[in-house]
C-alpha cells in the first residue's frame, strides 16, 4: 500500500494515485493514477466556470467530482490528463493549498 499524503471527505492523494471518494454524486469511487496527469494548475471559479456545478460535466473535456460545498469555494485545482474524454479534472479539496502543493510535487 502506498503512503497517504493528503485526505479529506472528497479525495485522498497517495504517492501514485488520487482516490475520489465521491466521483459521481455521494457514491462512486474512482482512482486516477498520477502517471496520467500531465499538468496541475489553479483556476478561479465563477458563475460560468464551475462554481455552481455540484458534479459532472456539460462537455466532454471537463469533469467535476461531487462536492456539494463547491458553490462556497472560489478556487479549484485543475488536473490536465492524457485521457481521451474529460481531459481536465476540476477538484475542490477542503484544504486547497496543502493539496495543490502536494500535487505540484508529484507531477
Amino acid at each position: 500500500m502506498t503512503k497517504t499524503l493528503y485526505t479529506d471527505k472528497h479525495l485522498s492523494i497517495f504517492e501514485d494515485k488520487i482516490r475520489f471518494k465521491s466521483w459521481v454524486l455521494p457514491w462512486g469511487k474512482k482512482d486516477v493514477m498520477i502517471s496520467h496527469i500531465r499538468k496541475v494548475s489553479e483556476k478561479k471559479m465563477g458563475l460560468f466556470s464551475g462554481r455552481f456545478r455540484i458534479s459532472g460535466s456539460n462537455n466532454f473535456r471537463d469533469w467535476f467530482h461531487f462536492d456539494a460545498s463547491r458553490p462556497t469555494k472560489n478556487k479549484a485545482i485543475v488536473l490536465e490528463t492524457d485521457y481521451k474524454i474529460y481531459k481536465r479534472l476540476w477538484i475542490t479539496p477542503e484544504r486547497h493549498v496543502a493539496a495543490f502543493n502536494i500535487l505540484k510535487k508529484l507531477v
Side-chain angles (χ1 to χ4, degrees):
M1 179 114 184
T2 59
K3 182 180 173 186
T4 305
L5 304 174
Y6 173 90
T7 192
D8 66 27
K9 70 179 180 181
H10 298 296
L11 57 100
S12 293
I13 302 172
F14 300 92
E15 295 171 326
D16 62 341
K17 66 186 171 195
I18 301 171
R19 173 163 292 147
F20 291 92
K21 300 173 186 174
S22 51
W23 184 251
V24 180
L25 299 174
W27 60 85
K29 293 181 171 94
K30 179 169 178 67
D31 288 348
V32 173
M33 302 306 290
I34 297 294
S35 61
H36 289 283
I37 300 171
R38 300 293 170 239
K39 183 179 176 185
V40 177
S41 61
E42 283 182 305
K43 301 278 186 190
K44 285 195 172 268
M45 292 186 300
L47 183 62
F48 299 107
S49 59
R51 187 170 185 177
F52 295 100
R53 178 161 295 283
I54 301 300
S55 179
S57 179
N58 62 349
N59 59 41
F60 291 106
R61 185 179 53 224
D62 300 294
W63 181 263
F64 294 80
H65 68 91
F66 176 78
D67 183 356
S69 63
R70 186 172 288 121
T72 66
K73 300 174 182 178
N74 59 12
K75 285 195 295 188
I77 299 170
V78 180
L79 308 174
E80 295 185 27
T81 69
D82 60 6
Y83 297 136
K84 292 187 188 214
I85 60 171
Y86 304 128
K87 288 187 166 290
R88 291 186 302 217
L89 308 177
W90 292 64
I91 66 172
T92 48
E94 291 177 341
R95 295 183 316 277
H96 179 93
V97 173
F100 182 69
N101 289 335
I102 290 167
L103 288 167
K104 287 294 281 184
K105 289 177 185 171
L106 291 174
V107 175

